[in-house]
Amino acid sequence: MTAIELSEQSAGGRGCSWFIPAVGDPAREINLCQEGRVYKPLAEAPPQPLAIARQLEDILEGVWLPASESDTKGRAFVITNINIGSDEVMSLEDSKVQDICLDALGISNEARPHATFRRRDWDEERNRHGFCYTDEDFEEEDLQLDNPDSDRSKVIRATQVMSDELQGGFEFNFDERVICGPVLYGGFVGQNIVGILSMRVWT
């Protein structure tokens, strides 16, 4: 699958994609991804990170993730061969991890300056709302926790896997200049990054 194809699928198709308005011509949309960027199939990932990704994939099957002004299907991902020692993960600079995500996604030079990055504690989030929800997302919907098949309950279970299996949790996103863009919730497994690809829409 190409980066541009993924951006269109993640944004829901129907002519939508991850995009940034053109400078000087905001009505013109520019895809965030570079032409020609191709992703390898998930099945080609190393065994350990692949097993964790499959766990996340199975738990989130059929789940709709919040995407601010929309909803989206989450996709498990693996970024392989980061080439760092396991003892370096927690001390890796945020900008380095951000660059790894930008390179892996194939984000264009025009959009790269608008990327954002923050550390996330999945152990803390497993006991709150899960990796993709915030306090504002819930009022009466809190009752969803009573239903093990609800989207929120499944997100909590996926966050538990992330807490148990991943080091150096983080969230990769973009600032408001990017109208529709990818969001990565992930962490490290050895020299690989594993997580969930989501997206968000800000108009």
Side-chain angles (χ1 to χ4, degrees):
M1 178 185 295
T2 69
I4 289 178
E5 287 171 342
L6 178 61
S7 81
E8 292 169 348
Q9 288 188 19
S10 174
R14 303 182 301 279
C16 300
S17 67
W18 303 334
F19 75 93
I20 185 171
V23 175
D25 185 6
R28 184 166 64 90
E29 300 176 359
I30 299 175
N31 195 291
L32 294 190
C33 300
Q34 301 166 354
E35 292 278 357
R37 178 71 176 182
V38 178
Y39 303 128
K40 292 182 179 180
L42 182 62
E44 294 184 13
Q48 184 182 8
L50 176 60
I52 297 167
R54 291 298 193 205
Q55 265 189 282
L56 295 173
E57 198 173 54
D58 289 345
I59 293 170
L60 295 175
E61 176 69 28
V63 171
W64 287 97
L65 304 182
S68 188
E69 299 172 33
S70 182
D71 293 303
T72 188
K73 294 286 188 181
R75 292 170 169 81
F77 72 87
V78 177
I79 302 174
T80 60
N81 301 321
I82 305 302
N83 197 28
I84 58 168
S86 58
D87 57 338
E88 298 179 74
V89 168
M90 301 306 292
S91 61
L92 203 60
E93 292 183 4
D94 292 356
S95 60
K96 174 64 174 175
V97 185
Q98 178 175 292
D99 284 344
I100 290 169
C101 294
L102 286 165
D103 291 342
L105 286 167
I107 300 299
S108 67
N109 290 335
E110 184 169 8
R112 288 178 76 98
H114 301 287
T116 64
F117 180 91
R118 66 180 177 127
R119 294 289 180 175
R120 298 285 300 274
D121 183 345
W122 301 133
D123 192 48
E124 177 182 333
E125 298 296 341
R126 71 189 289 172
N127 297 314
R128 298 183 70 247
H129 300 313
F131 67 85
C132 60
Y133 291 117
T134 65
D135 292 338
E136 290 73 30
D137 291 318
F138 294 100
E139 291 178 4
E140 295 179 5
E141 292 89 339
D142 284 346
L143 296 175
Q144 283 193 337
L145 286 178
D146 296 332
N147 177 5
D149 295 322
S150 71
D151 285 358
R152 189 186 175 199
S153 292
K154 291 178 180 180
V155 165
I156 292 290
R157 292 206 299 276
T159 309
Q160 291 169 347
V161 172
M162 294 163 73
S163 172
D164 292 340
E165 302 292 349
L166 308 183
Q167 289 184 289
F170 67 85
E171 177 183 328
F172 168 93
N173 202 331
F174 287 86
D175 65 24
E176 66 278 359
R177 174 88 174 96
V178 172
I179 302 300
C180 179
V183 182
L184 301 181
Y185 304 97
F188 287 84
V189 179
Q191 296 191 350
N192 309 276
I193 292 176
V194 177
I196 296 297
L197 165 67
S198 182
M199 71 96 184
R200 93 299 183 275
V201 178
W202 292 344
T203 57

